[in-house]
Amino acid sequence: MTGYISDDKRKVTTHRLIEMKERGEKISMLTAYDYTMAQIVDGAGIDVILVGDSASNVMAGNVTTLPITLDQMIYHGKSVVRGVKRAMVVVDMPFGSYQGNEMEGLASAIRIMKESHADALKLEGGEEIIDTVKRILSAGIPVMGHLGLMPQSINKYGTYTVRAKDDAEAEKLIKDAHLLQEAGCFALVLEKIPASLAARVASELTIPVIGIGAGGAVDGQVLVVQDMLGMNNGFRPRFLRRYADLNTVMTDAISSYVSDVKNCFFPNEKEQY
Ligand code: KIV
């Protein structure tokens, strides 16, 4: 077997992630939305599992992350937590559950934590949501920030292209990153921004910066697990490395099963009672 399995079998906490940044150890993070996948991802040694609102696309087939509900995120969060022993489990707060005001955000955050038993939450945005972030943090709930491409704002951007290429947007992102750190966030995700900007943010912040499409000079990487396993043939952005071609593996296995059933090759005598 190839790969990297940590000797440290202790549960990953916010403190351990900050220690990892301090000693220069990169943080590995992947999404999972269900129990079976969470068991595999955790068993393979991942540091952080994100129950992303990308479940809206990947699990439900929606075009955007906007339709997924608080109840649905809690369902996915619960399923993942049951499958995990070591990784930190972070649940995305879905669109519409925190943008209204601080008390709405706090109530949604408390529901997710109480019902899913996750370790932390992730919210998209900077200055616009900083009071909500502070309110959630004041309840003792660890918060991971998310800047750069923020899929919950897709209708504002109109495109999933690289963000913060111009100076004004880059300056705002840097300011927001500092605001989130000062508020008390334990980590920050940067999605689809120039590698040089992500490197600058990671070097200025003391909290870990996890990138997706943000280059290698950050403190860790996150990908959607179905994408990196090659389950989804239609999505091939430049930042994605496919570590397997499960689409082919699964299609071959399922078509063999169909053929065996049709030809009466399954079940055989040993596969019955
Ligand atoms: O929902 C998600 O999967 C995410 C990652 C892309 C960071 O937010």
Side-chain angles (χ1 to χ4, degrees):
M1 191 176 88
T2 57
Y4 175 91
I5 304 275
S6 173
D7 291 337
D8 194 343
K9 301 283 177 249
R10 292 172 301 173
K11 174 85 183 164
V12 178
T13 60
T14 56
H15 297 286
R16 285 207 211 306
L17 294 179
I18 289 169
E19 283 167 14
M20 285 164 86
K21 170 158 180 149
E22 283 167 359
R23 64 171 180 267
E25 179 182 341
K26 298 282 187 185
I27 295 164
S28 60
M29 173 161 149
L30 281 174
T31 62
Y33 318 107
D34 68 86
Y35 172 78
T36 306
M37 187 66 90
Q39 272 192 319
I40 295 171
V41 172
D42 185 55
I46 208 81
D47 296 314
V48 183
I49 294 184
L50 173 66
V51 184
D53 59 356
S54 50
S56 178
N57 313 92
V58 178
M59 302 305 283
N62 291 311
V63 175
T64 73
T65 58
L66 275 67
I68 200 159
T69 65
L70 191 57
D71 284 340
Q72 287 166 338
M73 287 306 297
I74 290 170
Y75 166 82
H76 288 296
K78 265 186 196 170
S79 310
V80 167
V81 167
R82 287 191 205 109
V84 170
K85 292 197 175 81
R86 175 181 173 272
M88 163 182 272
V89 179
V90 181
V91 174
D92 260 341
M93 292 193 67
F95 176 70
S97 72
Y98 63 96
Q99 289 89 350
N101 59 55
E102 298 146 55
M103 294 317 291
E104 178 199 55
L106 179 64
S108 306
I110 289 176
R111 267 204 70 202
I112 301 177
M113 296 302 285
K114 250 188 196 300
E115 296 179 38
S116 75
H117 302 175
D119 302 306
L121 301 176
K122 177 164 80 60
L123 282 72
E124 293 181 9
E127 194 179 1
E128 315 74 24
I129 58 151
I130 203 71
D131 292 336
T132 301
V133 167
K134 286 182 186 163
R135 192 82 207 191
I136 295 171
L137 285 163
S138 76
I141 301 171
V143 173
M144 177 180 269
H146 183 151
L147 297 172
L149 176 64
M150 293 180 280
Q152 291 180 12
S153 301
I154 185 60
N155 293 315
K156 181 173 113 185
Y157 302 140
T159 160
Y160 286 104
T161 192
V162 179
R163 303 304 315 171
K165 286 209 294 203
D166 65 69
D167 289 350
E169 198 178 332
E171 284 310 316
K172 172 162 166 44
L173 187 145
I174 293 166
K175 196 170 150 227
D176 281 344
H178 282 276
L179 274 178
L180 290 167
Q181 171 168 282
E182 279 153 28
C185 288
F186 72 92
L188 173 66
V189 166
L190 291 180
E191 181 165 356
K192 231 174 166 188
I193 62 168
S196 56
L197 175 61
R200 176 170 167 195
V201 175
S203 74
E204 288 185 11
L205 297 195
T206 55
I207 59 171
V209 173
I210 319 278
I212 171 162
V218 287
D219 306 304
Q221 298 293 328
V222 56
L223 287 174
V224 168
V225 71
Q226 280 81 359
D227 295 341
M228 59 81 74
L229 290 176
M231 292 172 83
N232 173 4
N233 271 344
F235 183 66
R236 290 174 183 254
R238 192 206 296 196
F239 69 77
L240 176 64
R241 186 178 299 177
R242 286 164 60 110
Y243 284 84
D245 180 5
L246 287 200
N247 191 296
T248 303
V249 171
M250 292 170 81
T251 304
D252 287 352
I254 292 164
S255 70
S256 297
Y257 168 76
V258 171
S259 163
D260 285 355
V261 170
K262 298 279 181 197
N263 292 302
C264 304
F265 295 154
F266 176 81
N268 62 24
E269 280 180 9
K270 289 185 193 151
E271 291 162 331
Q272 62 190 19
Y273 299 98

